[in-house]
Amino acid sequence: MAGIGPLSEEGLVRLLDHTGERVADEYFGPFAEHLTFDDLRGFWRDMIMTRAFDTEATSLQRQGELGLWVASLGQEAAQIGSGRALRDPDYAFPSYREHGVAFTRGIDMPSILRVFRGLEHSTWDPAAHNFHIYTLVIGAHTLHAVGYAQAMDWDGLVGSGDPDKDGAVICYFGDGATSQGDVNEAMVFAAVNNAPIVFFIQNNQFAISESVTRQSTVPLAQRAIGFGIPSVRVDGNDVVAVHAVTRWAMEHARSGAGPVVIEALTYRMGAHTTSDDPTRYRSSADEDYWRERDPIARVETYLRGLGELPEDFEEAVRADAKELGRVTREAVKSWQPGPTDTIFEHVYAEPHPLVDADRAWFAQYEASFTDKEVTR
Amino acid sequence: MTAPTHEQVSSDRLAPEGLAPVRTLTLGAAINAGLRAAMDRDPKVVLMGEDIGALGGVFRVTDGLLKDFGERRVMDTPLAESGIVGTAIGMAFRGYRPVLEIQFDGFIFPAFDQITTSLAKLHYRTKGKLTVPLVIRVPYAGHIGAIEHHSESPEALFAHTAGLRIVSPATPQDGYDMIQQSIASPDPVLFFEPKARYWDKGEVDSTRVASQLDLADGASKATAEMSKARVAREGTDVTLMAYGPTVRLAMQAAVAAAEGGVSVEVLDLRSISPFDYETILASVKKTGRGVVVHEAPVAYGTGGELAAHVAEHAFFHLHAPVLRVGGFHMPYPGSKFEHDYLPSLDRVLDAVDKVMAH
Ligand SMILES: Cc1ncc(C[n+]2csc(CCOP(=O)(O)OP(=O)(O)O)c2C)c(N)n1
């Protein structure tokens, strides 16, 4: 990999190319051999569902129902391929764009949007899904992930050889995040403590407007070398390769062999968020090139070419996706903020006089306000 | 996350020199024009930040500057706030004047160590041999319906650190003048920009600050000038003290109170460190009552500092304790609740009523 830039497609692990052809890989091929057509149809379904949800969320934002939306458009293979390589005991730390991984962890998809509607800062119970809440402060969660992984190790959940018990952590972040001190510190801690963690970099080529070339002059996976962490670069739009590579990496971590860095080269097909305007910093030729590498299309082409995407199956999936969109829309529109008084809850686990005083003041203030209106 | 685009800024972006000295600009466009003027004046002024180049910043405050000044002076940095501030400190050692953009209030904290441990103390530690004239621009405060970490008011955390100057403009004129004064000042300055006010328009006279900065002691004059409070409205019964995002609210409160027969004097404090106590005490001694309004949480905040100082220095002039109106002791809540969390017209008037009851 020496001498190539951070956007090079050279040396990427790939098992299904963008024309829908299977590619051989001596090392990682075996990690995908177990996949049946049912499995691949399942990946395809997961990606369709994720995209349907994502598309619905974008249009809800456009209609003013959400304050903001952070789309996963184009990154479905990276997210589903890796998410489906996780086992129940594994724990995932997302950043804020991993709606596909959320889907694989059984998160109620519409509930993700409560945060983006401004109702609360998180919705699901992380422990119930082994899926942490989203983190907006770039890179902060990578350190939490390492600590969690170390603690899993102490608790005997790593390297016992029992597949029902052994687990590891997977931590997702973007190419921009790799520049943060926290992320580099996380890799130091993971390496020296041999923590059971897989750092999963979704290199979608942009940190808002900045190309990954502003973050690195070499492929991001190469960073790992300096920390003493094995790493692999994978075609992030190839769900089969992502799956194979993540299976290998998670097994490595679960067995007690230590951390791994995966860099999945993908492309953010949409804007950074609904507030962003990508026309200011990238060309439509670039977008077209990557649209042709749509991660969903290549599985579809592959399966269809082999007659493995029966019409009735496809129709059923499209109907499910439509239904998810409908359920999402109805849920979001039905959510109203609860009483303001609830915002004073959970600042501390134990009573705190300042919070109590503010809460009491607010209650009294609201009451006096209503009285005034009544007497007026 | 990126905030709403700021088309107004680009549409009334200033052309370079040669235009009318007085123009109507938004606050965002006025800061943009001020940056441009500072870069024209001094080739050592360089801009650094995330997405400030081709994108023009998520609020478009640096729009067009990359095109006109090039990549060496308008730098899209790696995504690392500690790196932005830390490397800029080194540049300042060689006489550069970096002006940094931190994308949002809630993302300044990775740089907190560099700002409070290094930046603030270098002049003191080197017994004045090194000056570190950094300006750190921070879009801050709420009212834009944003998600977590995009609406915070962390000024008190920095005001507590000696060695930093902290200012916050509320009007386009101040945006234009104070950014240039901050850049001219030899001290490090945290320049807090009220993001919800970026689109407010006002007249900007570009001659005022230019003539000041041309003076031999321009840097000292500029530092002194940006540290002064402004009497935004005169009154006799209550002094309402505000800065940045709450100045407009204070003005509305003054108008509303006047209808009820209460004469409110509004101070736009402009500078938080230092506070202009001369102007503040003169006003409070005249009215005998004070209310301070900021978006930041009240507990342990800048309003408490003000209230204590006024009590210490104007105790016998006061008819009532100085009241504070601001955020609660809690993390910034979901945006659907921000109207109840933030000071509102009613809450300000409620405080005015209370001090008037004494
Ligand atoms: C500490 C911090 N600094 C700045 C931001 C503002 N911000 C939000 S997303 C983003 C770009 C992130 O890029 P990357 O890590 O590549 O992830 P992507 O959004 O592309 O998935 C920035 C600068 C932030 N959220 N946190």
Side-chain angles (χ1 to χ4, degrees):
Chain A
M1 277 192 292
I4 64 172
L7 285 169
S8 170
E9 292 182 53
E10 216 179 293
L12 291 177
V13 176
R14 184 173 282 147
L15 297 173
L16 184 65
D17 74 14
H18 81 278
T19 65
E21 293 289 328
R22 284 300 291 261
V23 185
D25 185 288
E26 204 186 325
Y27 192 80
F28 290 103
F31 290 89
E33 257 164 23
H34 68 291
L35 292 174
T36 63
F37 284 118
D38 260 345
D39 291 330
L40 294 181
R41 276 189 291 271
F43 290 172
W44 178 78
R45 179 181 186 276
D46 293 345
M47 293 196 284
I48 293 282
M49 295 294 277
T50 302
R51 188 167 290 186
F53 167 72
D54 186 55
T55 307
E56 186 59 45
T58 297
S59 66
L60 283 165
Q61 196 283 335
R62 296 272 177 250
Q63 293 158 25
E65 298 288 345
L66 304 176
L68 181 87
W69 180 238
V70 185
S72 51
L73 185 69
Q75 300 180 214
E76 293 89 351
Q79 298 185 7
I80 297 301
S82 58
R84 286 294 178 211
L86 305 184
R87 297 214 208 108
D88 286 346
D90 297 328
Y91 194 98
F93 281 83
S95 52
Y96 43 77
R97 202 187 284 286
E98 282 69 43
H99 319 310
V101 185
F103 186 75
T104 69
R105 295 264 97 185
I107 299 296
D108 171 56
M109 296 301 275
S111 76
I112 295 174
L113 303 180
R114 293 185 63 81
V115 170
F116 296 89
R117 195 169 164 83
L119 294 167
E120 54 204 5
H121 297 322
S122 78
T123 309
W124 57 87
D125 173 4
H129 296 269
N130 276 4
F131 187 63
H132 197 65
I133 63 170
Y134 285 0
T135 298
L136 300 177
V137 183
I138 300 294
H141 62 302
T142 59
L143 285 162
H144 314 158
V146 173
Y148 191 98
Q150 285 182 255
M152 277 177 86
D153 194 4
W154 299 338
D155 291 345
L157 301 177
V158 176
S160 77
D162 176 354
D164 293 331
K165 199 172 122 189
D166 282 349
V169 169
I170 187 165
C171 180
Y172 292 87
F173 51 95
D175 42 286
T178 62
S179 294
Q180 282 288 355
D182 278 4
V183 175
N184 289 273
E185 292 175 29
M187 291 197 188
V188 172
F189 276 70
V192 301
N193 294 307
N194 202 46
I197 180 167
V198 173
F199 295 105
F200 194 100
I201 308 170
Q202 282 180 91
N203 178 359
N204 67 8
Q205 310 189 21
F206 290 93
I208 310 188
S209 71
E210 295 188 17
S211 158
V212 63
T213 56
R214 289 307 301 146
Q215 319 291 343
S216 183
T217 56
V218 297
L220 296 170
Q222 277 190 28
R223 296 260 179 92
I225 299 166
F227 295 106
I229 303 178
S231 67
V232 52
R233 282 188 96 214
V234 60
D235 179 343
N237 284 8
D238 172 355
V239 72
V240 183
V242 171
H243 186 73
V245 161
T246 312
R247 259 193 93 209
W248 163 76
M250 291 301 286
E251 206 38 63
H252 180 97
R254 283 184 207 114
S255 73
V260 176
V261 169
I262 296 175
E263 178 196 351
L265 180 67
T266 176
Y267 188 78
R268 197 192 72 207
M269 283 171 66
H272 169 70
T273 67
T274 44
S275 299
D276 182 33
D277 174 11
T279 62
R280 292 180 77 106
Y281 55 82
R282 70 186 191 188
S283 71
S284 56
D286 200 33
E287 290 179 359
D288 290 345
Y289 175 87
W290 284 98
R291 200 168 297 122
E292 277 172 24
R293 279 151 185 76
D294 187 313
I296 300 185
R298 74 172 76 177
V299 194
E300 215 167 285
T301 311
Y302 173 67
L303 289 172
R304 198 169 279 135
L306 296 173
E308 288 290 349
L309 197 61
E311 227 168 83
D312 53 343
F313 175 79
E314 181 168 353
E315 266 169 32
V317 169
R318 303 245 182 239
D320 288 351
K322 208 169 156 194
E323 178 63 8
L324 177 59
R326 190 190 63 77
V327 169
T328 300
R329 192 162 54 247
E330 283 190 359
V332 166
K333 291 189 172 174
S334 74
W335 295 329
Q336 292 310 325
T340 298
D341 183 61
T342 56
I343 66 175
F344 295 97
E345 287 167 11
H346 309 302
V347 180
Y348 296 87
E350 294 292 335
H352 189 292
L354 273 177
V355 178
D356 294 346
D358 278 350
R359 189 173 193 166
W361 180 89
F362 186 76
Q364 202 183 22
Y365 169 72
E366 282 225 299
S368 72
F369 195 63
T370 323
D371 290 349
K372 262 188 232 157
E373 257 170 309
V374 171
T375 51
R376 227 176 252 155
Chain B
M1 303 299 109
T2 321
T5 52
H6 192 36
E7 296 315 327
Q8 290 91 329
V9 173
S10 18
S11 57
D12 23 29
R13 218 199 76 209
L14 286 186
E17 298 320 303
L19 286 190
V22 180
R23 277 155 291 169
T24 299
L25 296 175
T26 63
L27 174 62
I31 297 170
N32 176 286
L35 288 169
R36 181 178 290 279
M39 294 177 83
D40 278 333
R41 187 178 300 112
D42 181 354
K44 296 279 192 189
V45 174
V46 295
L47 310 190
M48 297 169 73
E50 294 157 10
D51 306 289
I52 67 165
L55 193 67
V58 295
F59 291 103
R60 306 293 184 263
V61 173
T62 55
D63 192 36
L65 299 178
L66 171 66
K67 189 167 117 308
D68 293 342
F69 293 96
E71 282 181 9
R72 243 282 283 101
R73 296 187 67 195
V74 181
M75 291 173 269
D76 268 342
T77 65
L79 206 179
E81 289 77 9
S82 181
I84 296 172
V85 176
T87 58
I89 289 173
M91 293 169 194
F93 292 165
R94 291 201 55 85
Y96 285 87
R97 300 186 97 85
V99 182
L100 318 179
E101 175 173 305
I102 296 292
Q103 199 160 78
F104 281 91
D105 36 62
F107 304 133
I108 196 169
F109 298 108
F112 195 75
D113 175 44
Q114 286 291 343
I115 295 171
T116 57
T117 310
S118 292
L119 181 62
K121 298 184 170 78
L122 273 157
H123 191 260
Y124 185 76
R125 289 172 55 222
T126 59
K127 292 176 278 182
K129 289 186 192 68
L130 287 180
T131 55
V132 199
L134 258 57
V135 176
I136 306 179
R137 298 181 33 243
V138 191
Y140 83 124
H143 267 310
I144 63 161
I147 50 175
E148 267 189 299
H149 314 297
H150 293 72
S151 301
E152 298 174 9
S153 295
E155 62 273 20
L157 295 173
F158 296 96
H160 196 61
T161 302
L164 304 171
R165 292 182 184 274
I166 300 171
V167 299
S168 185
T171 65
Q173 181 71 61
D174 277 346
Y176 181 82
D177 290 352
M178 289 167 75
I179 190 65
Q180 294 182 68
Q181 290 160 338
S182 300
I183 293 169
S185 175
D187 286 323
V189 179
L190 267 82
F191 192 85
F192 281 101
E193 301 173 5
K195 64 172 89 81
R197 306 268 60 88
Y198 272 141
W199 295 271
D200 289 2
K201 291 191 173 188
E203 277 197 354
V204 175
D205 178 347
S206 63
T207 57
R208 287 186 4 184
V209 73
S211 55
Q212 176 185 69
L213 292 174
D214 287 341
L215 299 174
D217 61 345
S220 303
K221 285 244 157 54
T223 308
E225 189 66 29
M226 73 180 188
S227 308
K228 282 188 191 147
R230 175 177 68 96
V231 180
R233 178 186 167 109
E234 289 190 17
T236 52
D237 297 329
V238 184
T239 300
L240 205 46
M241 293 165 272
Y243 55 82
T246 54
V247 171
R248 194 179 76 143
L249 179 65
M251 292 297 278
Q252 289 167 344
V255 171
E259 281 169 21
V262 178
S263 168
V264 172
E265 177 145 306
V266 177
L267 300 187
D268 173 0
L269 299 176
R270 298 169 81 248
S271 173
I272 297 162
S273 179
F275 277 134
D276 174 5
Y277 284 124
E278 203 182 311
T279 305
I280 293 164
L281 289 173
S283 175
V284 174
K285 283 178 181 171
K286 177 176 78 175
T287 61
R289 297 178 186 86
V291 173
V292 50
V293 193
H294 54 55
E295 286 197 12
V298 162
Y300 310 100
T302 56
E305 180 61 26
L306 257 174
H309 191 97
V310 168
E312 281 165 6
H313 297 273
F315 186 72
F316 293 106
H317 298 267
L318 288 176
H319 306 307
V322 174
L323 294 188
R324 297 166 292 168
V325 183
F328 300 118
H329 187 65
M330 63 183 340
Y332 201 92
S335 61
K336 284 271 193 258
F337 298 96
E338 69 181 341
H339 59 280
D340 278 337
Y341 169 83
L342 293 170
S344 60
L345 185 56
D346 283 300
R347 274 168 63 186
V348 176
L349 290 173
D350 187 59
V352 169
D353 283 350
K354 284 211 173 84
V355 293
M356 287 305 293
H358 285 273

